[in-house]
Structure formats: C-alpha cells, structure tokens
C-alpha cells in the first residue's frame, strides 16, 4: 500500500506549473520574497514555517521547511520547541473560545484551567528559543488559526520583550505564505484524482 503523502511527488508538482504558469510564477515571487532575510533571519523564518506547517497539517510543507530550517542552521531542539509553542497556542485558542461561551468567570472555573496554564508556562519558558521568538511564533500561530484574543495577548507580550513591528509583520507574512503553500502542495491530489478516472 502506498501512502497518500508520498515524498517523491516532485514530478507532479512540476506538471502543475504547466496548468497555471502565471499563477505559479506569482506564487513563487510571493514565496521567494517572504523568505528573504529581513527583520527576521532565514533561520527564524524557516522555524516559523515549520510551526505553521504543523497548523496547516501539510506533510509536504513540514518536510520541505524542516530541511530548509536545518540548512539555515536550526537545530532539532529548536524545531521541536517551536512545535510545542504551536501545541500551547492551539490549546489556548480552544480555551479562549470556550471562555467566550461562558458567563461564569469564577475562581472555580479558572482553577479548572490550571493544567493548561502549567503546560503553557513551561512551553513559553526558557529553552532553546528566546522568549521574544516564542511570542513571535505564538503570534504567527494565532494568525493561522484566526484567534483575535491570542493575537492581541501575544502581540502585547512580544512588544514588551522588544520584538519589533517589522519582525511581527514578517512572521505574519510567513504564515500567509505557508497557508497558500499548503493549498498549492495539495493541488497534486487534484491532478492525481482527475487523471485516475
């Protein structure tokens, strides 16, 4: 049995360029510009990309950007730590939505959330990535999953830690490129399905 997510599908990706050459060029320009070093380094952008690929659940993006992050100098510990930030923000946004649906903001309710706060505190604490970069990752993830409350709180935290507006803007652009890129990567399934008939 072959996997739906085979790694060796570059021949399909090259074929897709033929069907929409202008759109492919436009996406390539966008993606290429986003990943140029600026307020963030290439390594930082690739770590963000690996994190957002875990939000979009795109195995192709995870594979490609993990390799690019390694080439840019990221160690495995940094990448794994980045994914724990994704996990913490994913959990946080779920709790944020639940909190909006409740009128009860009692101490009893807050106490029930303590296991999450314990987890988040460890994830966002000292490690291989700086506190500011973890907040930047959290902003990117919050944008990817459209949680305004998390966007606001992590942006405030990041600014307090000295993260610049330019760094925040570049992290958000990486998020946009990854969301577009994951849709592009899955176009190959249209090609396969269409040609299987």
């Amino acid at each position: 049995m072959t996997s739906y997510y085979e790694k060796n599908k570059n021949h399909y990706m090259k074929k897709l360029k033929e069907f929409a050459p202008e759109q492919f060029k436009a996406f390539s320009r966008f993606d290429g510009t986003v990943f140029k070093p600026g307020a963030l380094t290439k390594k930082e952008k690739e770590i963000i990309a690996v994190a957002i690929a875990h939000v979009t659940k795109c195995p192709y993006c995870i594979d490609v950007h993990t390799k690019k992050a390694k080439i840019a100098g990221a160690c495995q510990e940094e990448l794994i730590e980045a994914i724990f930030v994704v996990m913490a923000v994913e959990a946080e946004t779920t709790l944020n939505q639940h909190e909006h649906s409740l009128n009860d903001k009692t101490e009893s309710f807050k106490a029930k959330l303590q296991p999450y706060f314990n987890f988040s505190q460890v994830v966002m604490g000292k490690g291989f990535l700086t506190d500011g970069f973890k907040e930047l990752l959290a902003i990117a993830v919050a944008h990817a999953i459209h949680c305004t409350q998390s966007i606001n709180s992590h942006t405030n935290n990041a600014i307090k830690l000295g993260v610049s507006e330019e760094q925040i803007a570049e992290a958000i652009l990486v998020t946009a490129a990854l969301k577009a890129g994951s849709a592009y990567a899955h176009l190959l399934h249209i090609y396969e399905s269409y040609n299987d008939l």
Side-chain angles (χ1 to χ4, degrees):
M1 180 176 162
T2 58
S3 168
Y4 193 60
Y5 296 109
E6 294 174 35
K7 286 188 174 186
N8 300 320
K9 292 197 172 190
N10 286 339
H11 57 288
Y12 288 141
M13 300 308 281
K14 290 174 184 167
K15 189 83 175 158
L16 290 172
K17 296 176 195 178
E18 298 171 15
F19 293 102
E22 291 308 310
Q23 292 88 338
F24 175 78
K25 286 178 195 170
F27 172 69
S28 293
R29 283 191 299 271
F30 167 56
D31 194 62
T33 301
V34 165
F35 281 94
K36 285 183 182 170
L40 296 174
T41 66
K42 176 77 170 159
K43 173 184 162 181
E44 290 169 327
K45 289 184 177 189
E46 290 298 345
I47 292 172
I48 294 168
V50 172
I52 300 305
H54 279 76
V55 175
T56 65
K57 313 292 189 261
C58 176
Y60 306 113
C61 299
I62 292 169
D63 186 51
V64 166
H65 288 286
T66 297
K67 289 174 181 169
K68 287 182 176 184
K70 183 179 180 181
I71 290 166
C75 66
Q76 198 163 13
E77 291 85 354
E78 289 172 313
L79 295 174
I80 291 169
E81 201 168 282
I83 304 316
F84 273 97
V85 173
V86 173
M87 293 163 59
V89 177
E90 290 263 20
E92 172 187 87
T93 58
T94 302
L95 295 174
N96 286 343
Q97 297 308 313
H98 182 63
E99 191 175 319
H100 288 305
S101 69
L102 296 174
N103 292 325
D104 182 16
K105 305 287 195 280
T106 63
E107 289 304 314
S108 171
F109 172 72
K110 290 178 184 174
K112 288 180 180 162
L113 300 181
Q114 197 57 49
Y116 163 74
F117 293 121
N118 295 342
F119 167 61
S120 179
Q121 187 175 22
V122 172
V123 169
M124 298 304 282
K126 298 292 179 207
F128 288 89
L129 302 172
T130 67
D131 294 349
F133 189 72
K134 284 184 181 183
E135 291 295 343
L136 197 59
L137 278 169
I139 293 167
V141 173
H143 274 83
I145 51 185
H146 313 289
C147 182
T148 305
Q149 190 172 344
S150 293
I151 290 168
N152 291 338
S153 67
H154 289 290
T155 300
N156 289 335
N157 292 345
I159 290 169
K160 286 176 191 169
L161 291 168
V163 176
S164 71
E165 288 183 18
E166 292 81 10
Q167 290 172 313
I168 293 169
E170 288 186 13
I172 294 167
L173 277 169
V174 171
T175 302
L178 257 290
K179 290 200 75 172
S182 68
Y184 171 72
H186 288 272
L187 276 172
L188 64 89
H189 298 302
I190 292 174
Y191 179 79
E192 286 181 321
S193 297
Y194 189 86
N195 289 296
D196 279 348
L197 289 179

